[in-house]
Amino acid sequence: MAMTPESRQTVFRQIAHCSYVDWPTYGSSPLFDRSSLPALESDVRVVAKTWFQQDEHEGVEPFVHTLPLAYVQFDAHDRYAGSTSYEIETLFRLFLLKELYDWDHETALVEYLTKHPDLCDKLGLESVPDQSTLWRSWHHRFTAELQDTVETAARTILIKAQNAGVSVPREPERQSRRHHDENEESDSDDQTVLEQAETVTEQVSRVAFPAFSLDRGEGCEIHENAYWDLQTYLGLRENLAVNEGARSFIHESNRERTPLGHAHREHLRDLSIEQIREMYRQAVTRLLDRVAETEEFFRAGIIAIDITESDPFTGDRAGHEDEIIGTKEKTDEYAYQWATVQLVGNAVPIVLDARPVRKGDTRKEIVEDLLNSAEAAVHVDNVLMDREFDSQHILEMLSQRGLSYVVPKRMQTSEKAQAKRLLKRGKDRYETDRKLHLGDNEWHSTTLIYRRKEDSEHTDHRQYSVFMTNRKSGLLSEYGYRWEIESGYKSIKRFMAATTSKHFGLRFFYFAFACLLYSIWRAVDLLVQVQLTGE
């Protein structure tokens, strides 16, 4: 069967009657206009998904010459200023055809058009462009952004056609090329995330979906897993807010129905902090069991506890003073704060638990809470923390649990004096036992280790750092592992969906789910390495 005017009309009638689809996209948001290439890419997804569901639509070529483009303003992406023989809209269709067939050179496109004059008529070509014209158009007329859009649109068409059982000229890449190109100059971590996005998504569905649940009642049209799919989609696309992400997800997802942004937020707001944490811990348990199947995983040993903060909050925090608290550096800025416990050292750096930090929460309460989760999930030997946890009561609690610790000490008068003496004597290292007063004539015994920093910019006592430990100096070499949690926070924040909401539970859910995505990504990285290299 061939495309007919009736089948084409059916496609756009279905799109117009679909309540959760905006087409053309430029009219749906002030973020887009008629020259916006992301809006054009979105429109290709919308039309392609419905187009190939029609029995009459059996090939990709009719889509290329039928796709509505009259409304698109290509001028902003046309580097030619004068008159030309071929409209850029026509060239866009030609290069879309070339990309669909994966022809390496323009000559193949010219030969194909020459042999198919009926296709030329449908494309509006009075004559077939020569090879040099096409080469110059692609390399000198099209902007790099427009080239990317051609490649993205072709990939979308192939995927939507293949998903509908339509024969395609070539196997589509399920990973956009632009991800590889963009990340050649970016952090290797970001590149790895994008390259493994599909694998991460698959593992999220296996690990997280059984552990997460929404209390929505019965008879809901949208499957609950669609919400977790959407949250994963948001996290794997940096700085994407839920409204915009939900619109894109409609076209990217293979689901018949997906949640709208406002509905997604409303259901997440109904979750309590404790519900979120319990679901998170269940998901981590499932992840640990999965990774523990490999010999390369070490379920033991060293954990790091730390607190991170979101970007400084610049809005009105009236009524939220207990949740949007000050920054760790004690500046005049405010921010949400979150605490985590993470495996470090030889283990996969999985975030074992996360919790919010509110005004009035003591550091001891935070550490005890996170330790309870960590020890329920893995065997813990050593605990690493930074100097904001410099508290004799925290150290005593760790010792009573039979745990080793390394914590930097804030230098008070006595430590500064000792550092000055060491500097005068030219000593790089010094150990001494110290008893810290707990109150009521109770003391905590610890060891202070002074260590001189290499290449310090200071010339006085600040050349030295002081650490506290209950296992002598041998444990100090492990403190470097704590920095894994700092680098981990950078990646975790990359996985967070963007929001301006002040709802505390929603904010925490976004952070916790980002921790889960990060943990799964790092676990997937291990599993892929084992599969490919055996190491």
Side-chain angles (χ1 to χ4, degrees):
M1 300 175 65
M3 180 193 73
T4 64
E6 290 75 19
S7 67
R8 182 178 182 276
Q9 188 178 51
T10 299
V11 169
F12 293 100
R13 184 183 293 117
Q14 288 180 357
I15 292 173
H17 290 164
C18 190
S19 61
Y20 53 86
V21 170
D22 291 309
W23 182 86
T25 303
Y26 77 84
S28 67
S29 169
L31 296 173
F32 301 127
D33 57 31
R34 290 170 62 185
S35 66
S36 300
L37 295 179
L40 174 57
E41 294 171 13
S42 176
D43 288 346
V44 171
R45 287 193 295 269
V46 171
V47 178
K49 181 177 181 180
T50 307
W51 180 274
F52 292 110
Q53 291 174 350
Q54 304 301 313
D55 292 337
E56 298 87 345
H57 299 170
E58 297 177 339
V60 297
E61 287 184 12
F63 182 91
V64 173
H65 61 69
T66 308
L67 175 68
L69 292 176
Y71 68 92
V72 181
Q73 293 180 343
F74 285 104
D75 294 349
H77 313 286
D78 186 350
R79 293 190 288 191
Y80 281 9
S83 61
T84 57
S85 300
Y86 299 96
E87 296 294 331
I88 196 166
E89 175 190 321
T90 302
L91 291 170
F92 181 88
R93 296 183 193 274
L94 294 182
F95 288 120
L96 192 57
L97 189 66
K98 175 178 177 290
E99 187 67 24
L100 286 170
Y101 281 95
D102 200 23
W103 291 321
D104 292 332
H105 304 289
E106 291 76 15
T107 302
L109 175 59
V110 173
E111 292 175 349
Y112 189 81
L113 293 172
T114 303
K115 294 177 181 178
H116 296 82
D118 55 334
L119 177 59
C120 292
D121 291 340
K122 293 173 181 176
L123 290 169
L125 286 173
E126 295 182 0
S127 62
V128 176
D130 58 32
Q131 183 272 337
S132 60
T133 297
L134 290 172
W135 188 92
R136 288 194 303 272
S137 297
W138 180 258
H139 291 280
H140 298 297
R141 187 173 180 181
F142 277 39
T143 63
E145 291 77 14
L146 187 55
Q147 292 175 351
D148 281 348
T149 295
V150 170
E151 295 171 353
T152 301
R155 172 177 168 269
T156 298
I157 295 166
L158 291 170
I159 290 174
K160 297 302 183 185
Q162 191 178 63
N163 289 348
V166 174
S167 177
V168 294
R170 65 178 175 90
E171 186 71 19
E173 298 176 16
R174 294 282 171 165
Q175 173 63 48
S176 174
R177 294 182 188 177
R178 70 171 60 181
H179 289 164
H180 298 289
D181 296 339
E182 286 176 356
N183 284 278
E184 285 178 359
E185 298 179 0
S186 66
D187 292 341
S188 59
D189 283 357
D190 289 351
Q191 181 176 354
T192 305
V193 172
L194 292 169
E195 289 176 349
Q196 296 181 176
E198 291 188 26
T199 309
V200 170
T201 301
E202 178 186 356
Q203 292 299 326
V204 170
S205 66
R206 293 182 180 182
V207 170
F209 289 6
F212 280 72
S213 62
L214 297 169
D215 185 13
R216 297 188 304 149
E218 299 180 357
C220 298
E221 293 185 12
I222 300 178
H223 195 283
E224 184 175 284
N225 287 352
Y227 291 86
W228 314 129
D229 265 339
L230 174 56
Q231 192 66 38
T232 305
Y233 179 85
L234 298 175
L236 294 178
R237 285 148 184 85
E238 190 170 6
N239 200 34
L240 185 61
V242 68
N243 282 346
E244 178 186 357
R247 286 195 295 269
S248 300
F249 187 60
I250 290 172
H251 318 308
E252 293 280 1
S253 173
N254 291 324
R255 294 183 177 276
E256 290 298 322
R257 294 292 304 275
T258 58
L260 297 177
H262 70 275
H264 184 72
R265 283 194 304 270
E266 286 176 5
H267 284 303
L268 295 184
R269 286 175 180 149
D270 290 338
L271 296 173
S272 68
I273 298 296
E274 193 47 52
Q275 282 178 310
I276 297 169
R277 293 189 65 194
E278 179 58 30
M279 291 188 296
Y280 183 91
R281 289 189 289 259
Q282 290 181 22
V284 166
T285 299
R286 294 175 58 85
L287 177 61
L288 290 169
D289 290 341
R290 172 73 180 89
V291 181
E293 296 172 4
T294 67
E295 295 179 358
E296 290 74 13
F297 175 69
F298 298 91
R299 183 192 283 217
I302 309 172
I303 62 170
I305 295 175
D306 206 351
I307 295 174
T308 189
E309 56 198 31
S310 301
D311 293 335
F313 185 82
T314 57
D316 180 11
R317 69 184 190 113
H320 300 270
E321 292 87 350
D322 290 346
E323 300 165 350
I324 311 174
I325 58 180
T327 62
K328 294 199 297 178
E329 298 300 324
K330 306 302 181 184
T331 66
D332 57 355
E333 295 179 321
Y334 298 97
Y336 292 90
Q337 291 188 15
W338 323 109
T340 65
V341 56
Q342 177 180 309
L343 285 171
V344 294
N346 290 329
V348 181
I350 291 172
V351 180
L352 301 172
D353 195 12
R355 59 160 286 161
V357 179
R358 294 183 176 89
K359 184 178 180 181
D361 290 344
T362 68
R363 293 297 185 256
K364 185 171 181 286
E365 291 171 344
I366 293 170
V367 172
E368 281 186 305
D369 184 18
L370 294 177
L371 271 179
N372 289 338
S373 298
E375 291 192 299
V378 298
H379 173 76
V380 178
D381 287 321
N382 307 329
V383 182
L384 310 177
M385 297 178 289
D386 72 5
R387 59 176 42 85
E388 68 178 301
F389 298 96
D390 167 11
S391 162
Q392 60 268 40
H393 297 283
I394 293 177
L395 304 184
E396 177 66 14
M397 179 264 294
L398 294 175
S399 291
Q400 289 181 355
R401 286 176 177 247
L403 300 175
S404 306
Y405 63 78
V406 178
V407 181
K409 190 179 189 312
R410 285 170 282 206
M411 295 184 74
Q412 307 296 342
T413 303
S414 59
E415 287 80 36
K416 292 177 182 178
Q418 181 63 61
K420 290 176 182 178
R421 289 192 291 270
L422 296 173
L423 181 62
K424 189 174 182 179
R425 299 171 189 168
K427 296 192 65 173
D428 295 334
R429 192 180 183 94
Y430 175 72
E431 294 183 27
T432 183
D433 293 334
R434 174 76 65 85
K435 287 189 175 182
L436 305 175
H437 190 229
L438 297 171
D440 295 330
N441 201 31
E442 294 183 340
W443 302 81
H444 173 73
S445 297
T446 189
T447 297
L448 266 54
I449 302 175
Y450 293 75
R451 188 174 65 181
R452 194 173 187 175
K453 308 171 191 173
E454 296 181 3
D455 303 320
S456 174
E457 60 182 14
H458 300 292
T459 58
D460 56 7
H461 67 276
R462 289 174 292 179
Q463 292 185 34
Y464 291 87
S465 295
V466 186
F467 295 88
M468 296 179 291
T469 180
N470 57 350
R471 290 295 185 272
K472 302 299 181 182
S473 61
L475 195 59
L476 195 59
S477 60
E478 296 182 349
Y479 188 74
Y481 292 141
R482 200 199 70 82
W483 294 108
E484 293 176 15
I485 202 170
E486 297 288 353
S487 61
Y489 282 146
K490 295 179 181 178
S491 295
I492 288 168
K493 291 173 182 178
R494 180 200 178 286
F495 283 115
M496 287 184 67
T499 184
T500 58
S501 172
K502 288 186 281 191
H503 191 280
F504 196 53
L506 180 66
R507 287 268 187 170
F508 176 64
F509 181 88
Y510 280 4
F511 177 77
F513 205 87
C515 289
L516 187 60
L517 286 178
Y518 168 76
S519 300
I520 292 174
W521 163 50
R522 295 303 299 268
V524 165
D525 195 39
L526 168 76
L527 297 174
V528 169
Q529 287 185 48
V530 171
Q531 181 179 5
L532 295 179
T533 68
E535 298 179 357

